[in-house]
Amino acid sequence: MAGSQWDLPPELCCRPMAFVALTGLDVVYNAVHRAIWDAFCANRRADRVPISFKVLAGDHEYPKCRTKRTSYEWYIPKGILKTGWMNKHLNLVPALVVLFYELDWDDPQWKEKQSECATKVEIVRTSLQGRNAKVAVVLIQKKTPLPPGEDLVASERAQALCTACDLSGKSLFVLPHTDHLVGYIIRLENAFYEHAQTYYYTEIRRVKSHKEFLNKTTHQLLFVRHQFKIAFFSELKQDTQNALKYYRTAYSLVHELRAHETNMLEIKTMAGFINYKICRLCFQHNTPLDAIAQFRKHMDQCKKKIGCAELAFEHSAWMSKQFQSFGELFDEAIKLGLTAIQTQNPGFYYQQAACYTQDRKQLAHQLCQAGASYPSPDPLDTQSGGLDFYGQRPWRQGHQSIDPQDAEKEKVGILALQIKERDVPHSELIIALLGNAVAQFKKYKCPRMKSHLMVQMGEEYYHAKDYTKAFKLLDYVMCDYRTERWCALLTDILSTALRCAYLMASVKDYILYCMELLGRASDLKEEQKSRIEKNLLKVLMNDVPEPEPDCDPSSVGAARSLWTDRMALAGSNEMTIEVQDYIPFIQCKAKFQSPSFHVDQPIQLQVFVRADCPHPVSFNKLSVSLSNQEYNQWCVAESSGQEDMTLLPGKPKRYRFSFVAKTEDVGKKIEITGIELMMGSDNGRCVFLSWRGAGGDAASAHEALQSSRSSRRWARGNEAHPELDWDGITLQNSTMIISRVPKISVVLSHQPPILTNEMYCIRLAVQSQEDAVARDVQLTTGLKPGQDANLSQTTHVTLDAFKVCDDSAASLLPDVPLGDLQPGGTLEKCIYFRCGSTGPRVFLFHVAYSVETAVEGRQIICKCHKDETVTIDTLVPFDVSVKFVSTKFEPLDRVAVDIPFLLLTDVVSSSPWPLLLASSSLQLLTLTSNTPQLQSQLQEVVLQTAECATECFCLRCPPGTNDNNTVATGQYLISWRRQSSNPDGPLIQTTVTLPHIILESVPVYIYADLPSFGRVRESLPVRYHIENRTSLVQEVEMAVEPSDAFMFSGLKQVRLRILPGTEQQMLYNYYPLMAGYQTLPQLNINLPRCQSSNTQALKRFLPQRIFVKPQGRQPEDASIAAA
Amino acid sequence: MAVCIAVIAKENYPLYIRSVATQNELKFHYTVHTSLDVVEEKISSVGKALGDQRELYLGLLYPTEDYKVYGYVTNSKVKFVIVVDSSNTSLRDNEIRSMFRKLHNSFTDVMCNPFYNPGDPIQSKAFNGVVSGMMVQTG
Amino acid sequence: MSRQSNRTTDSKKMNSELFTLTYGALVTQLCKDYENDEEVNKQLDKMGYNIGVRLIEDFLARSSVGRCQDFRETADVIAKVAFKMYLGVTPSVTNWSPAGDEFSLILENNPLADFVELPDNHSTLVYSNLLCGALRGALEMVQMAVDVKFAQDTLRGDGVTEIRMKFIKRIEENLPAGDE
Amino acid sequence: MAHEAPFQLLHSELIHYICKTADGADSENGRSVTKLENMGFRVGQGLIERLTKDTARFKDELDVMKFICKDFWTCVFKKQIDNLRTNHQGIYVLQDNKFLLLCHMSAGKQYLEHAPKYLAFTCGLVRGALSNMGVKSIVTAEVSVMPACKFQVMIQKL
């Protein structure tokens, strides 16, 4: 590429290595030689000595060596460094020439071969005329040599050969061509390396030796040259430490040279070379700071050495190259393991290089006046085609005096250079350098630096008229500056981008950037803004905008025609801009008036729009889109309508929308999903600014935060509504639609608490305050959902007053139709609840209806509902207790089989309200009633709170039921209701399960017949019945104990037998002696046959006492007579 | 003496930028903006660095060919950036420090002005005066 | 802890700053709440009064100053003791009216107004008006009815801050303190 | 300027004013408490800015917290926080056993309801200071027995 004139020569940049020439090898036709050559070249890794080998013909002509001058007396050097020199010593003049020759010690024609070898050596020597290069001989042998000393022939012949070729023993080598080739080769090359070292050493000595001949006045150039050469040889000798040292001296010497217009370039060039070498070595020695320091010094010393003013661009070019190549050295060092840091990385040098190339470009523009034709003959070409010395002018090579010897030539030369500079693609160079820099800064975490460089690249592309690329880059970084809110920078970038957009006639981008440049994020001057605004309006009118100022005139022409084409083609005239990524000049905020609306009030929505541009701007349409699109139609404002769609600069404008919600949307949320504002017109070009949600753009979030903290007073005085202070407006992007407030009252009348299992009646009265008919009023009632689960198992609702609902009835009755309700009218309904378990319950009464109302003159039918809840406790109506007693009302713990006993039931009311006990009944198991048919003794009894109703039943356990275990008695059923409840309402059956009883059997049953009372001195017959309940004959001993209260007749003591299943009767006549309750004479019974059963048990059956009345007035003799 | 002085908000947007009138103002905006890379790096490396003395003064951020850029960060993460001409070699480090101190003091007063809303651009006359005192006088 | 700073020394200063800043917050709040500066000034005076009537007790308790013989003495006590004690500054007492019933307190710097820069739209705000109210309230508690107002204010570009105090009358012991 | 009488009086005037103006529409003192809180916020911002002018850069959140408890508190309320606790998940509890602004209120249940008003400003103070140090938070206060009170700071991770 052009500018290569400034590139450093490769021989400078490479790493110098000792040059060794190999002759006598036929690598083309001789396989053995080939193998040897390959062994030399193949994988030369770091562990091999640094030598560059070349295969040359035996009679190769090496560069002639000029005759050594004996004195520098009259010698005037023509320049600092010959352009050929470095290459000469790298590639042309060997440090050592090696002659390969096939010869075994025991070769038959030894003599001939020996002399042939000698001649070959001689040829080489002659062609090296005057050089200090050494010659060495390698004998390629087929046999492996014996250990040294053993092969006498060998040593003796070696001797001979050396003398023949006049070689020192050290220069003769043997290369057995066997399997260990590589090993031998490595040994060989090490030997060669030593030879090379000595060679370069002597070279250094040689150059040094010139020193004393030189004098300060005429030979400064030589001082530099020699130091450079020494340094370079040292490098070839791989002595980098010394190399560095000599380069440093060389460097200081260069700057000691007397610098003037004519030799400035040469000096800078050499300075550049040496500096490069120094930096390179510093990095190589891993002392990067030295490198950097050296480079800084270098730059400080050369910055001002501009040289020929007409060619000032050359200086910038050179500076740029200096930075670039240092950057490359730095980068290379990093690749080799050096660690760089954020603030010291190659990026800075590339960036600086780019900078200087930019200067170069500018200077070139100033200095290279167009038009002038390229002079001929070409002052820049030399017969040799190149220069003899680095950094000299072709038209006056070797000329060292201060003023050019030929002013005319000078002018022509300069002109030529200027013209050449004209066609240098500066921008390419700049962009390339910036590109490198970007890569570096990216690596070292400098995002902002990176974007800055990308901006520069973009601008460079812009200058290079590559608008698409420019545009891409700018657009890419723009958002970083936007989000970090660096307005000045954003504005700058936007402006360039706008120019690109204009020149590419990319309409959308053009509009976009206009809008942003008009907006609050741009810090453009008023007049610029108004210019842009005008252009924007033009584009919207589908008109060609004025070109941006300082656009390249040539491209403006092209742009114009592009625009006219754009405008011509129809369609594609609509575009939408997603605002949230930009900061356009129209701002928008929207809010619902309230976070919720009743369905029968119009939903109010306000949209605030504000323009930040200098002149009034008008738009055509403003539309809000809501989560439910059906409402969108109500939220549109159009210029066609009466709305004023012109925005005055900085004055917020409010647009009010209101609509009526759909009744089915009750309970739903309405959200603002977006706002769209249309500018321009269908016949022209229309742009839709579209905001997401309730407005706001890339900058608003921050602004909102700031204003919330601000101490600024909201719009002062009455000059504006406070809410029209823009920052004061807060977004409200959603609202709830809630059902209309019901205009009914719900009254519940009932008598708590609920009694278990009763049909509890709640009377519901719905009164309407509506002014229209409330249609299909519906009641949902029952247990309020969400309570204890098993409550719903034991709670049942019904409307049927006349039968007790069973457990299948639900706990909640949905949507019971109650019909229509006239204004002012009342609906009543009784609902019955049955609760199987005690405890509190919450009951729900949900009355829903629909009514027709007018909203905004529109009739809508909306549903309303009113909820009432009531908490009621449930109690048991009464407690029932049961006990068993003997016929003598003695409590029984066990019941004797086939012997009557009594069951007593007590019913105690625990209800606060009077209870009506309709009837009761027994359902007996195993037991039987002693009374023929038992009927309830508490029919139609009314129990007040805490009153008790008792019943008594005589029962017996039928014989044969297997004794000595417990038996279920049966159940006691009570049917009842509240006294207050509807007489023909159902009765509730409450069932009480009677306790079990324990049975026992007695072997003998005894009982007495006796009158209910006696009278003093009147006989009192008592008949004892004794039954044998066993299947055996029972023997019974009976005795009556005497008593003071009675006399008696009958057997005092008797022993008798009773057959199974039969009974015996004993009759006694007692004769009471005293009145009052008297204990009957004790009857002792004994069953000798079964001692098991105790006689005490038997006693239980017998009456203990009897009441004796006193004697009457007239004595009854009859009784005595009877006795 | 500075050629550009800037105050940068916690969120890295400029609260105040002033540069010598003569030169391209925009260029300084870029210089300051890019210097934030280094500032952020230095701030984030607090505690990580072994011998970190957590000074508010961040020292020389980076040298460009023609400017030296110095940085300073308050505990409220507000950054001050001072740009001086690199030709101006007379300036000692501690002079820069004292410039930053002055800035910081004045900035603190701005923060304490009840009518100032933190995060807004700085318009204080007093602050402006202090800055003017530090700028290279031109024309 | 890492930062054992010598805070204790300037803690007094900090406290004054706390006061100053809090006052600033109050004033800006008032500016938000009220339509115009006049009302803000009024409100500040009112609050100052409430503070004054309470502060005087604290003052008498701390400073062992007895009953003042005349207005001049009062002026000195206010300047040399009260201001010093509560605001840490000592204004100079000057510009006595020939009748000796009116004087000015000249404040070189006004702690209330440290850091303050008035925005243009508050040209008529008397930022430190609280002081007037406080003085009025305090003196009323010692049976002195005075009229206090700012004659000059550095915030509004004047060279110094000047508070002008005019003696009106002695209040009879039995009269209750004025409204709040 | 030896003592805080003026500040305390000003503070109670503040409360008095805010709560007085708050009657009517937004009488529920939630709103007025917010106003106080915001004023505190702004003051906190300013104070911390001054206070940290000469301190080294903070290491981390906890470092900031400690500073609030020691230096900041000392400067504003004449004493350090008595006890700082944290769950290391962004919740800190600062306990002041004798909180200056409650001292002059006689202890007793009937005043507890007024406590929020007397703490709002300070909550704001802390929140403002923290936010200016780049720590976004929510600060709430609770009083069980006067004049001790706890400030809970809930850090809001971004």
Side-chain angles (χ1 to χ4, degrees), chain A residues 436-490:
Chain A
N436 294 351
V438 167
Q440 293 293 335
F441 282 112
K442 195 164 169 186
K443 200 152 93 201
Y444 296 101
K445 308 210 234 61
C446 303
R448 294 178 184 81
M449 179 62 94
K450 180 172 148 254
S451 359
H452 175 33
L453 292 167
M454 287 171 79
V455 171
Q456 290 182 328
M457 274 170 98
E459 285 165 345
E460 205 49 57
Y461 274 120
Y462 169 77
H463 294 312
K465 299 204 176 62
D466 185 340
Y467 302 121
T468 342
K469 283 220 186 62
F471 184 81
K472 267 211 190 62
L473 280 160
L474 295 176
D475 192 59
Y476 179 80
V477 293
M478 211 177 280
C479 58
D480 301 346
Y481 292 93
R482 196 183 284 115
T483 44
E484 274 205 327
R485 297 202 298 284
W486 281 68
C487 293
L489 302 183
L490 180 61

Side-chain angles (χ1 to χ4, degrees), chain A residues 832-853:
Chain A
Y832 299 89
F833 299 86
R834 194 174 131 250
C835 302
S837 63
T838 58
R841 286 172 171 73
V842 184
F843 295 96
L844 169 71
F845 297 84
H846 169 92
V847 180
Y849 64 98
S850 56
V851 66
E852 191 166 302
T853 50

Side-chain angles (χ1 to χ4, degrees), chain A residues 920-921 929 931-939 951-953:
Chain A
S920 68
S921 62
S929 171
T931 41
Q933 89 278 25
L934 45 84
Q935 93 267 27
S936 172
Q937 299 136 351
L938 36 74
Q939 245 146 14
E951 279 191 281
C952 174
F953 303 95

Side-chain angles (χ1 to χ4, degrees), chain C residues 27-140:
Chain C
V27 177
T28 46
Q29 183 61 47
L30 290 174
C31 288
K32 255 194 257 182
D33 295 351
Y34 287 95
E35 279 311 319
N36 60 51
D37 294 339
E38 279 321 312
E39 292 174 55
V40 176
N41 300 344
K42 250 201 241 83
Q43 188 60 40
L44 284 172
D45 180 81
K46 204 169 173 190
M47 296 171 114
Y49 178 91
N50 298 344
I51 291 177
V53 293
R54 290 178 186 68
L55 195 56
I56 187 72
E57 296 149 18
D58 179 88
F59 174 74
L60 295 175
R62 292 176 185 281
S63 70
S64 50
V65 291
R67 183 170 272 293
C68 296
Q69 297 318 316
D70 59 5
F71 199 45
R72 287 183 176 278
E73 188 180 347
T74 315
D76 284 352
V77 172
I78 290 170
K80 299 205 171 54
V81 190
F83 267 77
K84 183 103 203 68
M85 184 185 287
Y86 293 120
L87 294 179
V89 293
T90 319
S92 50
V93 182
T94 52
N95 307 348
W96 279 99
S97 62
D101 64 344
E102 212 176 327
F103 68 92
S104 297
L105 292 166
I106 305 289
L107 293 135
E108 268 58 24
N109 71 322
N110 166 5
L112 279 192
D114 289 346
F115 334 124
V116 177
E117 289 186 57
L118 283 183
D120 311 338
N121 63 338
H122 287 295
S123 46
T124 54
L125 176 68
V126 184
Y127 184 85
S128 313
N129 214 29
L130 189 95
L131 291 178
C132 301
L135 288 165
R136 189 164 60 81
L139 290 179
E140 199 165 293

Side-chain angles (χ1 to χ4, degrees), chain A residues 673-973:
Chain A
T673 53
I675 304 166
E676 207 164 56
L677 180 144
M678 181 181 117
M679 301 192 71
S681 59
D682 311 330
N683 49 21
R685 188 172 278 288
C686 52
V687 179
F688 294 94
L689 287 172
S690 104
W691 286 266
R692 237 183 248 155
D697 52 35
S700 355
H702 171 71
E703 288 162 354
L705 180 64
Q706 280 304 84
S707 71
S708 71
R709 300 254 179 83
S710 160
S711 64
R712 220 158 11 80
R713 175 177 307 175
W714 296 149
R716 299 173 113 234
N718 42 20
E719 116 273 324
H721 311 283
E723 62 194 343
L724 276 193
D725 166 80
W726 185 259
D727 298 327
I729 304 168
T730 51
L731 308 181
Q732 166 75 44
N733 72 329
S734 72
T735 190
M736 269 309 266
I737 303 175
I738 51 184
S739 60
R740 171 175 177 279
V741 191
K743 297 212 193 112
I744 57 166
S745 59
V746 173
V747 182
L748 303 175
S749 42
H750 57 113
Q751 300 175 306
I754 300 173
L755 304 177
T756 325
N757 284 325
E758 78 169 315
M759 296 302 285
Y760 185 74
C761 171
I762 297 181
R763 177 177 299 277
L764 167 91
V766 182
Q767 161 131 57
S768 159
Q769 288 91 35
E770 295 284 357
D771 12 13
V773 184
R775 304 209 175 280
D776 43 58
V777 183
Q778 287 189 328
L779 170 69
T780 297
T781 184
L783 191 67
K784 190 167 193 278
Q787 299 180 71
D788 183 352
N790 46 23
L791 277 183
S792 57
Q793 305 304 320
T794 58
T795 313
H796 310 284
V797 196
T798 174
L799 300 171
D800 180 352
F802 298 105
K803 67 182 222 346
V804 177
C805 63
D806 53 9
D807 294 358
S808 64
S811 68
L812 188 71
L813 270 189
D815 309 326
V816 178
L818 301 182
D820 296 355
L821 178 55
Q822 294 305 321
T826 311
L827 280 174
E828 296 209 332
K829 188 83 183 167
C830 284
I831 307 97
Y832 299 89
F833 299 86
R834 194 174 131 250
C835 302
S837 63
T838 58
R841 286 172 171 73
V842 184
F843 295 96
L844 169 71
F845 297 84
H846 169 92
V847 180
Y849 64 98
S850 56
V851 66
E852 191 166 302
T853 50
V855 191
E856 308 252 283
R858 289 180 56 238
Q859 288 295 321
I860 61 162
I861 296 177
C862 47
K863 299 202 179 317
C864 309
H865 63 85
K866 181 155 187 140
D867 286 2
E868 281 292 337
T869 60
V870 57
T871 308
I872 314 178
D873 204 350
T874 302
L875 306 174
V876 290
F878 45 68
D879 305 313
V880 177
S881 53
V882 176
K883 52 183 181 298
F884 297 99
V885 295
S886 71
T887 44
K888 288 158 49 198
F889 289 97
E890 295 161 334
L892 289 176
D893 53 353
R894 43 193 60 217
V895 172
V897 176
D898 198 20
I899 295 168
F901 63 92
L902 300 178
L903 163 68
L904 298 181
T905 60
D906 296 350
V907 180
V908 180
S909 161
S910 53
S911 144
W913 311 98
L915 291 179
L916 174 80
L917 304 180
S919 71
S920 68
S921 62
L922 272 182
Q923 286 177 351
L924 294 171
L925 305 154
T926 60
L927 298 184
T928 56
S929 171
N930 225 28
T931 41
Q933 89 278 25
L934 45 84
Q935 93 267 27
S936 172
Q937 299 136 351
L938 36 74
Q939 245 146 14
E940 302 303 317
V941 172
V942 173
L943 279 186
Q944 299 296 335
T945 313
E947 283 183 339
C948 176
T950 308
E951 279 191 281
C952 174
F953 303 95
C954 182
L955 309 174
R956 82 161 51 228
C957 182
T961 43
N962 63 335
D963 44 18
N964 290 340
N965 63 355
T966 64
V967 296
T969 321
Q971 288 176 317
Y972 181 50
L973 292 77

Side-chain angles (χ1 to χ4, degrees), chain A residues 1044-1102:
Chain A
D1044 308 346
F1046 294 88
M1047 298 189 296
F1048 71 91
S1049 63
L1051 298 167
K1052 185 164 186 313
Q1053 183 155 25
V1054 63
R1055 199 161 209 262
L1056 46 88
R1057 284 204 184 77
I1058 310 174
L1059 295 176
T1062 63
E1063 84 162 32
Q1064 278 285 353
Q1065 301 191 356
M1066 304 286 297
L1067 178 63
Y1068 288 85
N1069 260 324
Y1070 290 144
Y1071 190 71
L1073 298 178
M1074 42 190 90
Y1077 274 107
Q1078 301 299 339
T1079 312
L1080 287 166
Q1082 178 95 272
L1083 177 68
N1084 290 330
I1085 301 166
N1086 194 353
L1087 303 175
R1089 286 274 178 95
C1090 63
Q1091 292 306 337
S1092 64
S1093 71
N1094 59 338
T1095 50
Q1096 284 312 313
L1098 290 178
K1099 278 217 184 70
R1100 206 174 60 215
F1101 304 122
L1102 295 173

